[in-house]
Amino acid sequence: DADGNYVLTQNLTLPSVGEGGGAITWTSSNEDIISSDGIVHRHSGYAKSDEVTLSAKIVNGEFEVSKNFSFFVKRKDNNHGEG
């Protein structure tokens, strides 16, 4: 969306190596919603979505950088049969 957040309903493919060959490790602010390997767990409930931040740490030799990505995982809508 316009705020730089992403709305998810499916799993993510998270790279483990960057374009320059650096190793990328991922951490999740909520493993129950998005695991650090990109598996998305959609829950049911009254809220429309759950917010999760994935953090990427890239290390290439002595160079190290971190970047955060915000996601909203859309909840299942049991009233409309969405699964």
Side-chain angles (χ1 to χ4, degrees):
D1 70 9
D3 296 325
N5 299 309
Y6 304 95
V7 178
L8 298 177
T9 58
Q10 299 179 4
N11 294 339
L12 295 166
T13 301
L14 301 174
S16 59
V17 178
E19 290 180 14
I24 304 173
T25 54
W26 295 89
T27 55
S28 173
S29 65
N30 189 338
E31 290 275 340
D32 290 336
I33 305 295
I34 304 176
S35 67
S36 57
D37 58 357
I39 304 301
V40 173
H41 304 279
R42 293 176 65 201
H43 297 279
S44 299
Y46 293 106
K48 290 184 179 181
S49 61
D50 294 295
E51 185 175 10
V52 179
T53 300
L54 288 180
S55 300
K57 180 179 174 183
I58 306 163
V59 178
N60 194 348
E62 293 182 21
F63 177 76
E64 181 179 312
V65 66
S66 296
K67 180 154 176 81
N68 294 327
F69 301 88
S70 294
F71 296 92
F72 288 93
V73 175
K74 187 175 177 184
R75 286 196 172 213
K76 293 180 184 178
D77 183 356
N78 291 333
N79 294 328
H80 297 94
E82 183 182 21

Coordinates of all heavy atoms in Angstrom, one line a residue:
D1 N 0.8 -1.2 0.0 CA 0.0 0.0 0.0 C 0.9 1.2 0.0 O 2.1 1.2 -0.1 CB -1.0 0.0 1.2 CG -0.4 0.2 2.5 OD1 0.8 0.5 2.6 OD2 -1.1 0.0 3.5
A2 N 0.3 2.4 0.1 CA 1.0 3.7 0.0 C 2.0 3.9 1.1 O 2.9 4.7 1.0 CB 0.0 4.8 -0.1
D3 N 1.8 3.2 2.2 CA 2.7 3.4 3.4 C 3.9 2.5 3.4 O 4.7 2.5 4.3 CB 1.9 3.1 4.7 CG 0.8 4.1 4.9 OD1 0.9 5.3 4.5 OD2 -0.3 3.7 5.4
G4 N 4.1 1.7 2.3 CA 5.2 0.8 2.2 C 5.0 -0.5 2.9 O 5.9 -1.3 3.1
N5 N 3.8 -0.8 3.3 CA 3.4 -2.1 3.9 C 2.9 -3.0 2.8 O 2.4 -2.6 1.8 CB 2.4 -1.9 5.0 CG 2.9 -1.0 6.1 OD1 4.0 -1.2 6.6 ND2 2.2 0.0 6.5
Y6 N 3.0 -4.3 3.1 CA 2.5 -5.3 2.1 C 1.4 -6.1 2.8 O 1.5 -6.5 3.9 CB 3.7 -6.2 1.7 CG 4.8 -5.4 1.1 CD1 5.9 -5.0 1.9 CD2 4.8 -5.0 -0.2 CE1 6.9 -4.2 1.4 CE2 5.9 -4.3 -0.8 CZ 6.9 -3.9 0.1 OH 7.9 -3.2 -0.5
V7 N 0.4 -6.4 2.0 CA -0.7 -7.3 2.5 C -0.5 -8.7 1.9 O -0.3 -8.8 0.7 CB -2.1 -6.7 2.1 CG1 -3.2 -7.7 2.5 CG2 -2.3 -5.3 2.6
L8 N -0.5 -9.7 2.8 CA -0.2 -11.0 2.4 C -1.4 -12.0 2.6 O -2.1 -11.8 3.6 CB 1.0 -11.6 3.2 CG 2.3 -10.9 3.1 CD1 3.3 -11.6 4.0 CD2 2.8 -11.0 1.6
T9 N -1.5 -13.0 1.8 CA -2.4 -14.1 2.0 C -1.7 -15.4 1.7 O -2.3 -16.5 1.9 CB -3.7 -14.0 1.1 OG1 -3.2 -13.9 -0.3 CG2 -4.5 -12.7 1.4
Q10 N -0.5 -15.3 1.2 CA 0.3 -16.5 0.8 C 1.7 -16.5 1.4 O 2.2 -15.4 1.8 CB 0.3 -16.7 -0.7 CG -1.0 -16.8 -1.3 CD -0.9 -16.9 -2.9 OE1 0.1 -17.0 -3.4 NE2 -2.1 -17.0 -3.5
N11 N 2.4 -17.6 1.3 CA 3.8 -17.7 1.8 C 4.7 -16.8 1.0 O 4.4 -16.5 -0.2 CB 4.3 -19.1 1.7 CG 3.5 -20.1 2.7 OD1 2.9 -19.6 3.6 ND2 3.5 -21.3 2.4
L12 N 5.8 -16.4 1.6 CA 6.9 -15.6 1.0 C 8.0 -16.5 0.6 O 8.3 -17.5 1.3 CB 7.4 -14.6 1.9 CG 6.4 -13.5 2.4 CD1 6.9 -12.7 3.6 CD2 6.1 -12.5 1.2
T13 N 8.7 -16.2 -0.4 CA 10.0 -16.8 -0.7 C 11.1 -15.8 -0.3 O 11.2 -14.7 -0.9 CB 10.1 -17.1 -2.3 OG1 9.1 -18.0 -2.6 CG2 11.5 -17.7 -2.6
L14 N 11.8 -16.1 0.7 CA 12.8 -15.2 1.3 C 14.2 -15.6 0.8 O 14.6 -16.8 1.1 CB 12.7 -15.2 2.8 CG 11.4 -14.8 3.4 CD1 11.4 -14.9 4.9 CD2 11.1 -13.3 3.0
P15 N 14.9 -14.7 0.2 CA 16.3 -15.1 -0.3 C 17.2 -15.3 0.9 O 17.1 -14.7 1.9 CB 16.7 -13.9 -1.2 CG 15.9 -12.8 -0.6 CD 14.6 -13.4 -0.1
S16 N 18.2 -16.2 0.7 CA 19.2 -16.5 1.7 C 20.6 -15.9 1.3 O 21.5 -15.8 2.1 CB 19.3 -18.0 2.0 OG 19.7 -18.7 0.8
V17 N 20.7 -15.5 0.0 CA 21.9 -14.9 -0.5 C 21.5 -13.6 -1.3 O 20.6 -13.7 -2.1 CB 22.7 -15.8 -1.4 CG1 23.9 -15.2 -2.0 CG2 23.0 -17.1 -0.7
G18 N 22.2 -12.5 -1.0 CA 21.9 -11.3 -1.7 C 22.6 -11.2 -3.1 O 23.4 -12.1 -3.4
E19 N 22.3 -10.1 -3.8 CA 22.8 -10.0 -5.2 C 24.3 -9.9 -5.2 O 25.0 -10.4 -6.1 CB 22.2 -8.7 -5.8 CG 20.8 -8.8 -6.2 CD 20.2 -7.5 -6.8 OE1 21.0 -6.7 -7.2 OE2 19.0 -7.4 -6.9
G20 N 24.9 -9.4 -4.1 CA 26.4 -9.3 -4.1 C 27.0 -10.5 -3.4 O 28.2 -10.5 -3.1
G21 N 26.2 -11.5 -3.1 CA 26.8 -12.7 -2.5 C 26.7 -12.8 -1.0 O 27.1 -13.7 -0.4
G22 N 26.2 -11.7 -0.4 CA 26.1 -11.7 1.1 C 25.1 -12.6 1.6 O 24.0 -12.9 1.0
A23 N 25.3 -13.2 2.8 CA 24.3 -14.1 3.4 C 23.2 -13.3 4.1 O 23.5 -12.3 4.8 CB 25.1 -14.9 4.5
I24 N 22.0 -13.7 3.9 CA 20.8 -13.0 4.4 C 20.2 -13.9 5.5 O 19.9 -15.1 5.1 CB 19.8 -12.6 3.4 CG1 20.4 -11.8 2.3 CG2 18.6 -11.9 4.0 CD1 19.5 -11.5 1.1
T25 N 20.0 -13.4 6.7 CA 19.2 -14.1 7.7 C 18.0 -13.3 8.0 O 18.0 -12.1 8.1 CB 20.1 -14.4 9.0 OG1 20.6 -13.2 9.5 CG2 21.2 -15.4 8.7
W26 N 16.9 -14.0 8.3 CA 15.6 -13.4 8.5 C 15.1 -13.6 9.9 O 15.3 -14.7 10.4 CB 14.6 -13.9 7.5 CG 14.9 -13.5 6.1 CD1 15.6 -14.3 5.2 CD2 14.4 -12.4 5.4 NE1 15.7 -13.6 4.0 CE2 15.0 -12.4 4.1 CE3 13.6 -11.3 5.7 CZ2 14.7 -11.5 3.1 CZ3 13.4 -10.3 4.8 CH2 13.9 -10.4 3.5
T27 N 14.5 -12.6 10.5 CA 13.8 -12.8 11.8 C 12.4 -12.2 11.7 O 12.2 -11.2 10.9 CB 14.6 -12.2 13.0 OG1 14.8 -10.8 12.7 CG2 15.9 -12.9 13.2
S28 N 11.5 -12.8 12.4 CA 10.1 -12.3 12.4 C 9.7 -11.8 13.8 O 10.1 -12.3 14.8 CB 9.2 -13.5 12.0 OG 7.8 -13.1 12.2
S29 N 8.9 -10.7 13.8 CA 8.4 -10.1 15.0 C 7.3 -11.0 15.6 O 6.9 -10.9 16.8 CB 7.9 -8.7 14.8 OG 6.8 -8.7 13.9
N30 N 6.7 -11.9 14.8 CA 5.7 -12.8 15.3 C 5.7 -14.1 14.4 O 5.1 -14.2 13.4 CB 4.3 -12.1 15.1 CG 3.2 -12.9 15.8 OD1 3.3 -14.1 16.0 ND2 2.1 -12.2 16.2
E31 N 6.4 -15.1 15.0 CA 6.6 -16.4 14.3 C 5.2 -17.1 14.1 O 5.1 -18.0 13.2 CB 7.6 -17.3 15.0 CG 9.0 -16.8 15.0 CD 9.7 -17.3 13.7 OE1 9.3 -18.2 13.1 OE2 10.7 -16.6 13.4
D32 N 4.2 -16.8 14.9 CA 2.9 -17.4 14.8 C 2.2 -17.0 13.6 O 1.2 -17.6 13.1 CB 2.1 -17.2 16.0 CG 2.6 -17.9 17.3 OD1 3.3 -18.9 17.1 OD2 2.3 -17.4 18.4
I33 N 2.6 -15.8 13.0 CA 1.9 -15.3 11.8 C 2.7 -15.5 10.6 O 2.3 -16.0 9.6 CB 1.5 -13.8 12.0 CG1 0.7 -13.6 13.3 CG2 0.8 -13.2 10.8 CD1 -0.6 -14.2 13.3
I34 N 4.0 -15.0 10.6 CA 5.0 -15.3 9.5 C 6.2 -15.8 10.2 O 6.9 -15.2 11.0 CB 5.3 -14.0 8.7 CG1 4.1 -13.3 8.2 CG2 6.3 -14.3 7.6 CD1 4.4 -12.0 7.5
S35 N 6.6 -17.0 9.8 CA 7.8 -17.6 10.3 C 9.0 -17.0 9.6 O 8.9 -16.4 8.6 CB 7.8 -19.1 10.1 OG 7.9 -19.4 8.7
S36 N 10.2 -17.2 10.2 CA 11.4 -16.6 9.7 C 11.8 -17.2 8.4 O 12.7 -16.7 7.7 CB 12.6 -16.6 10.7 OG 12.8 -18.0 11.1
D37 N 11.2 -18.3 8.0 CA 11.4 -18.9 6.6 C 10.3 -18.6 5.6 O 10.3 -19.1 4.6 CB 11.7 -20.4 6.7 CG 10.5 -21.2 7.3 OD1 9.6 -20.6 7.8 OD2 10.6 -22.4 7.4
G38 N 9.4 -17.6 6.0 CA 8.4 -17.1 5.1 C 7.1 -17.8 5.0 O 6.2 -17.5 4.2
I39 N 6.9 -18.7 5.9 CA 5.6 -19.4 6.0 C 4.5 -18.5 6.7 O 4.8 -18.1 7.8 CB 5.7 -20.8 6.7 CG1 6.8 -21.7 6.1 CG2 4.3 -21.5 6.8 CD1 6.5 -22.0 4.7
V40 N 3.4 -18.3 6.0 CA 2.4 -17.4 6.4 C 1.3 -18.3 7.1 O 0.8 -19.2 6.4 CB 1.8 -16.6 5.3 CG1 0.6 -15.8 5.8 CG2 2.9 -15.6 4.8
H41 N 0.9 -17.9 8.3 CA -0.2 -18.6 9.0 C -1.3 -17.6 9.2 O -1.2 -16.7 10.0 CB 0.3 -19.1 10.4 CG 1.5 -20.0 10.3 ND1 1.4 -21.3 10.0 CD2 2.8 -19.7 10.4 CE1 2.6 -21.8 10.0 NE2 3.5 -20.9 10.2
R42 N -2.4 -17.8 8.4 CA -3.5 -16.9 8.5 C -4.5 -17.4 9.6 O -4.8 -18.6 9.6 CB -4.3 -16.8 7.2 CG -3.4 -16.2 6.1 CD -4.1 -16.2 4.8 NE -5.3 -15.4 4.8 CZ -6.3 -15.5 3.9 NH1 -6.2 -16.4 3.0 NH2 -7.4 -14.8 4.0
H43 N -4.9 -16.5 10.5 CA -5.8 -16.9 11.5 C -7.2 -16.3 11.3 O -7.3 -15.4 10.5 CB -5.3 -16.4 12.9 CG -3.9 -17.0 13.3 ND1 -3.8 -18.2 13.9 CD2 -2.7 -16.5 13.1 CE1 -2.6 -18.5 14.1 NE2 -1.8 -17.5 13.6
S44 N -8.2 -16.9 11.9 CA -9.5 -16.3 11.9 C -9.7 -15.3 13.0 O -9.0 -15.3 14.0 CB -10.5 -17.5 12.1 OG -10.4 -18.4 11.0
G45 N -10.7 -14.5 12.8 CA -10.9 -13.5 13.9 C -11.6 -12.3 13.4 O -11.9 -12.1 12.2
Y46 N -11.9 -11.4 14.3 CA -12.6 -10.2 13.9 C -11.7 -9.1 13.3 O -12.2 -8.3 12.5 CB -13.3 -9.6 15.1 CG -14.4 -10.5 15.6 CD1 -14.3 -11.2 16.8 CD2 -15.6 -10.6 14.9 CE1 -15.3 -12.1 17.2 CE2 -16.6 -11.5 15.3 CZ -16.5 -12.2 16.5 OH -17.5 -13.0 16.9
A47 N -10.5 -9.1 13.6 CA -9.6 -8.1 13.0 C -9.4 -8.5 11.6 O -9.4 -9.6 11.2 CB -8.2 -8.1 13.7
K48 N -9.2 -7.5 10.7 CA -9.0 -7.7 9.3 C -7.6 -8.3 9.0 O -7.4 -9.0 8.0 CB -9.2 -6.4 8.5 CG -10.6 -6.0 8.5 CD -10.8 -4.8 7.6 CE -12.2 -4.3 7.6 NZ -12.4 -3.1 6.7
S49 N -6.6 -7.9 9.8 CA -5.2 -8.4 9.5 C -4.4 -8.4 10.7 O -4.7 -7.7 11.7 CB -4.6 -7.6 8.4 OG -4.5 -6.2 8.8
D50 N -3.2 -9.0 10.7 CA -2.2 -9.0 11.7 C -1.0 -8.4 11.1 O -0.5 -8.8 10.1 CB -1.9 -10.4 12.2 CG -3.1 -11.1 12.9 OD1 -3.5 -10.6 13.9 OD2 -3.6 -12.1 12.3
E51 N -0.4 -7.5 11.9 CA 0.9 -6.8 11.4 C 2.1 -7.6 11.9 O 2.2 -7.9 13.1 CB 0.9 -5.4 11.9 CG 2.1 -4.6 11.3 CD 2.1 -3.1 11.7 OE1 1.3 -2.7 12.5 OE2 3.0 -2.4 11.1
V52 N 3.0 -7.8 11.0 CA 4.3 -8.5 11.3 C 5.4 -7.8 10.6 O 5.3 -7.3 9.5 CB 4.3 -10.0 10.9 CG1 5.6 -10.7 11.2 CG2 3.1 -10.7 11.5
T53 N 6.6 -7.7 11.3 CA 7.8 -7.1 10.7 C 8.8 -8.2 10.5 O 9.1 -9.0 11.4 CB 8.4 -6.0 11.6 OG1 7.4 -5.0 11.8 CG2 9.7 -5.4 11.0
L54 N 9.3 -8.3 9.3 CA 10.4 -9.2 9.0 C 11.6 -8.4 8.9 O 11.6 -7.3 8.2 CB 10.2 -10.0 7.7 CG 9.1 -11.1 7.7 CD1 9.0 -11.7 6.3 CD2 9.4 -12.1 8.7
S55 N 12.7 -8.9 9.5 CA 14.0 -8.2 9.5 C 15.0 -9.0 8.7 O 15.1 -10.2 9.0 CB 14.5 -7.9 10.9 OG 13.5 -7.1 11.6
A56 N 15.7 -8.4 7.8 CA 16.7 -9.0 7.0 C 18.1 -8.5 7.5 O 18.3 -7.3 7.5 CB 16.5 -8.8 5.5
K57 N 19.0 -9.4 7.8 CA 20.3 -9.0 8.2 C 21.2 -9.6 7.1 O 21.3 -10.8 6.8 CB 20.7 -9.6 9.5 CG 22.1 -9.2 9.9 CD 22.4 -9.8 11.3 CE 23.9 -9.6 11.7 NZ 24.1 -10.2 13.0
I58 N 21.9 -8.7 6.4 CA 22.8 -9.1 5.3 C 24.3 -8.9 5.7 O 24.6 -7.8 6.1 CB 22.5 -8.2 4.0 CG1 21.0 -8.3 3.7 CG2 23.4 -8.7 2.8 CD1 20.5 -7.3 2.7
V59 N 25.0 -9.9 5.6 CA 26.5 -9.9 5.9 C 27.3 -10.3 4.7 O 27.0 -11.4 4.2 CB 26.8 -10.8 7.1 CG1 28.2 -10.8 7.5 CG2 25.9 -10.4 8.3
N60 N 28.2 -9.5 4.3 CA 29.1 -9.8 3.2 C 30.5 -9.4 3.7 O 30.9 -8.2 3.6 CB 28.7 -9.1 2.0 CG 29.4 -9.6 0.7 OD1 30.3 -10.4 0.8 ND2 28.9 -9.3 -0.4
G61 N 31.3 -10.3 4.1 CA 32.6 -10.0 4.7 C 32.5 -9.2 5.9 O 31.8 -9.6 6.9
E62 N 33.1 -8.0 6.0 CA 33.0 -7.1 7.1 C 31.8 -6.2 7.1 O 31.5 -5.5 8.0 CB 34.3 -6.3 7.3 CG 35.5 -7.2 7.7 CD 36.7 -6.4 7.9 OE1 36.6 -5.2 8.2 OE2 37.8 -6.9 7.8
F63 N 31.1 -6.2 5.9 CA 30.0 -5.3 5.7 C 28.7 -6.0 6.2 O 28.4 -7.1 6.0 CB 29.8 -5.0 4.2 CG 28.6 -4.2 3.8 CD1 28.6 -2.8 4.0 CD2 27.5 -4.8 3.3 CE1 27.5 -2.1 3.7 CE2 26.4 -4.0 3.0 CZ 26.4 -2.7 3.2
E64 N 27.9 -5.2 7.0 CA 26.7 -5.7 7.6 C 25.6 -4.6 7.5 O 25.9 -3.5 7.8 CB 26.9 -6.1 9.0 CG 25.7 -6.7 9.7 CD 26.0 -7.1 11.1 OE1 27.0 -7.8 11.4 OE2 25.2 -6.7 12.0
V65 N 24.4 -5.0 7.1 CA 23.3 -4.1 7.0 C 22.0 -4.8 7.4 O 21.9 -6.0 7.1 CB 23.2 -3.4 5.6 CG1 22.8 -4.4 4.6 CG2 22.2 -2.3 5.6
S66 N 21.1 -4.1 8.0 CA 19.8 -4.7 8.4 C 18.7 -3.8 7.7 O 18.8 -2.6 7.6 CB 19.6 -4.7 9.9 OG 20.5 -5.6 10.4
K67 N 17.6 -4.5 7.4 CA 16.4 -3.8 6.8 C 15.2 -4.4 7.3 O 15.1 -5.7 7.4 CB 16.5 -3.8 5.3 CG 15.3 -3.1 4.6 CD 15.6 -2.6 3.3 CE 14.4 -2.0 2.6 NZ 14.2 -0.6 3.0
N68 N 14.2 -3.6 7.6 CA 12.9 -4.1 8.1 C 11.8 -4.0 7.0 O 11.8 -3.0 6.3 CB 12.4 -3.4 9.4 CG 13.3 -3.6 10.5 OD1 13.9 -4.7 10.7 ND2 13.5 -2.6 11.4
F69 N 10.9 -5.0 7.0 CA 9.8 -5.0 6.1 C 8.5 -5.2 6.8 O 8.4 -6.2 7.6 CB 10.0 -6.1 5.0 CG 11.2 -6.0 4.2 CD1 12.4 -6.5 4.6 CD2 11.2 -5.2 3.0 CE1 13.6 -6.4 3.9 CE2 12.4 -5.1 2.3 CZ 13.6 -5.7 2.7
S70 N 7.5 -4.3 6.7 CA 6.3 -4.5 7.4 C 5.2 -5.2 6.5 O 5.1 -4.8 5.3 CB 5.7 -3.1 7.8 OG 6.6 -2.6 8.8
F71 N 4.5 -6.1 7.1 CA 3.5 -6.9 6.4 C 2.2 -6.9 7.2 O 2.3 -6.9 8.4 CB 4.0 -8.3 6.1 CG 5.2 -8.5 5.2 CD1 6.4 -8.5 5.8 CD2 5.0 -8.5 3.9 CE1 7.5 -8.6 5.0 CE2 6.1 -8.7 3.0 CZ 7.4 -8.7 3.6
F72 N 1.1 -7.0 6.5 CA -0.2 -7.2 7.1 C -0.7 -8.5 6.5 O -0.8 -8.7 5.3 CB -1.2 -6.1 6.8 CG -0.9 -4.9 7.5 CD1 -0.1 -3.9 7.0 CD2 -1.4 -4.7 8.8 CE1 0.2 -2.7 7.6 CE2 -1.1 -3.5 9.5 CZ -0.3 -2.5 8.9
V73 N -0.9 -9.5 7.4 CA -1.4 -10.8 6.9 C -2.9 -10.8 7.1 O -3.4 -10.7 8.2 CB -0.8 -12.0 7.7 CG1 -1.4 -13.3 7.4 CG2 0.7 -12.0 7.5
K74 N -3.6 -10.9 5.9 CA -5.0 -10.9 5.9 C -5.6 -12.1 6.7 O -5.2 -13.2 6.4 CB -5.5 -10.8 4.5 CG -7.0 -10.6 4.4 CD -7.4 -10.5 2.9 CE -8.9 -10.3 2.8 NZ -9.4 -10.3 1.4
R75 N -6.5 -11.8 7.6 CA -7.1 -12.9 8.3 C -8.1 -13.7 7.4 O -8.7 -13.1 6.5 CB -7.8 -12.4 9.5 CG -6.8 -12.0 10.6 CD -7.5 -11.9 11.9 NE -6.5 -11.7 13.0 CZ -6.6 -12.2 14.2 NH1 -7.7 -12.8 14.5 NH2 -5.6 -12.0 15.0
K76 N -8.4 -14.9 7.8 CA -9.4 -15.7 7.1 C -10.8 -15.2 7.4 O -11.1 -14.7 8.5 CB -9.4 -17.2 7.5 CG -8.1 -17.9 7.1 CD -8.2 -19.3 7.7 CE -6.9 -20.1 7.4 NZ -6.9 -21.4 8.0
D77 N -11.6 -15.2 6.4 CA -13.0 -14.7 6.5 C -13.9 -15.9 6.5 O -14.3 -16.4 5.4 CB -13.4 -13.7 5.4 CG -14.8 -13.2 5.6 OD1 -15.5 -13.6 6.5 OD2 -15.1 -12.3 4.8
N78 N -14.2 -16.5 7.6 CA -15.0 -17.7 7.7 C -16.4 -17.5 7.3 O -17.1 -18.5 6.9 CB -15.0 -18.3 9.1 CG -13.6 -18.9 9.5 OD1 -12.8 -19.2 8.6 ND2 -13.3 -18.9 10.7
N79 N -16.9 -16.3 7.3 CA -18.3 -16.0 6.9 C -18.5 -16.2 5.4 O -19.6 -16.3 4.9 CB -18.7 -14.6 7.3 CG -18.8 -14.5 8.8 OD1 -19.1 -15.4 9.5 ND2 -18.5 -13.3 9.3
H80 N -17.4 -16.0 4.6 CA -17.5 -16.1 3.1 C -16.8 -17.3 2.6 O -16.6 -17.4 1.4 CB -16.9 -14.8 2.5 CG -17.7 -13.6 2.9 ND1 -17.3 -12.8 4.0 CD2 -18.8 -13.0 2.4 CE1 -18.2 -11.8 4.1 NE2 -19.1 -12.0 3.1
G81 N -16.4 -18.2 3.4 CA -15.8 -19.5 3.0 C -14.4 -19.3 2.5 O -13.8 -20.2 1.9
E82 N -13.7 -18.2 2.7 CA -12.3 -18.0 2.3 C -11.4 -18.8 3.2 O -11.6 -18.8 4.4 CB -12.0 -16.5 2.3 CG -10.6 -16.2 1.8 CD -10.2 -14.8 1.9 OE1 -10.9 -14.1 2.7 OE2 -9.3 -14.4 1.2
G83 N -10.5 -19.5 2.6 CA -9.6 -20.3 3.5 C -8.2 -20.1 3.2 O -7.3 -20.5 3.8

